[in-house]
Structures are given as structure tokens and as C-alpha cells.
């Protein structure tokens, strides 16, 4: 490392007393994801209480709904793949 004689450490370089707004950019691979109950705080106790009152109450039901939707999608995909295989069988019969 090269010493910088002009460097002065400022632990509050990112502190903004007048901050009114915040922007969040969310990137998702799979569409349909919902983001809600967003809390921005530096109080760990408040965050834990908020999580228990919001996310924790619904997480099991949301997981069950997600699993059911995934199962239904897999069944539809399997059904669709079976139909595609049938089409190939028909083409093989035509070739003979």
C-alpha cells in the first residue's frame, strides 16, 4: 500500500442528517417475486419486532402457496412434455 499524507479518516462520510428519500434497485431472475414490508433502520430491536409482526406471521402460508404453485407448474410442464413426446411418436409412425 502507498501511504497518502493527505488522507484524513472521516467515520461520518456517509451520514446524512437531511436525508428524506431512499432508492432501492431490486433485480430478480424470476418474475412474480413480491417485495413488501421493507424497513430501513439502525435499531436491531425494532427490526426484530417488525419482522415478527409482519413477515413471521405470513411466511408459512406464503411458502405453502409457493410450493403449491411450483407443484402445479411442474405438473403442467410434465403434461406438456408428454404431449410433445406423443407428437414425436406420431411422426415416427408417419415415417414408417
Amino acid at each position: 500500500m502507498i501511504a497518502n499524507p493527505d488522507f484524513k479518516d472521516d467515520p461520518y462520510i456517509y451520514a446524512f442528517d437531511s436525508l428524506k428519500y431512499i432508492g432501492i434497485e431490486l433485480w430478480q431472475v424470476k418474475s412474480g417475486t413480491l417485495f413488501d414490508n421493507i424497513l430501513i433502520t439502525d435499531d436491531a430491536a425494532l427490526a426484530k419486532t417488525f419482522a415478527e409482526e409482519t413477515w413471521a406471521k405470513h411466511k408459512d402460508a406464503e411458502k405453502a402457496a409457493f410450493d403449491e404453485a411450483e407443484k402445479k407448474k411442474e405438473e403442467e410442464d410434465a403434461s406438456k412434455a408428454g404431449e410433445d413426446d406423443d407428437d414425436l411418436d406420431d411422426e415416427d409412425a408417419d415415417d414408417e
Side-chain angles (χ1 to χ4, degrees):
M1 292 183 52
I2 300 172
N4 181 352
D6 297 328
F7 176 77
K8 292 181 179 83
D9 187 30
D10 183 358
Y12 302 104
I13 195 165
Y14 298 108
F16 296 97
D17 295 332
S18 63
L19 185 65
K20 294 181 183 179
Y21 307 98
I22 188 165
I24 300 173
E25 180 179 353
L26 298 172
W27 181 79
Q28 59 183 2
V29 175
K30 192 173 189 180
S31 67
T33 303
L34 300 175
F35 296 91
D36 60 359
N37 298 328
I38 296 173
L39 174 69
I40 299 172
T41 183
D42 61 353
D43 184 341
L46 174 66
K48 185 175 181 176
T49 302
F50 183 80
E52 290 169 356
E53 292 174 356
T54 56
W55 170 79
K57 287 183 179 180
H58 304 287
K59 70 180 176 110
D60 293 334
E62 289 176 358
K63 175 75 168 116
F66 174 79
D67 290 344
E68 182 64 29
E70 286 294 306
K71 182 179 176 183
K72 183 177 179 182
K73 182 180 177 192
E74 288 174 6
E75 290 171 355
E76 289 173 358
D77 290 346
S79 162
K80 193 179 208 181
E83 290 173 4
D84 291 344
D85 289 345
D86 289 343
D87 291 344
L88 292 176
D89 292 341
D90 292 342
E91 289 175 9
D92 291 341
D94 291 341
D95 292 341
E96 292 174 6

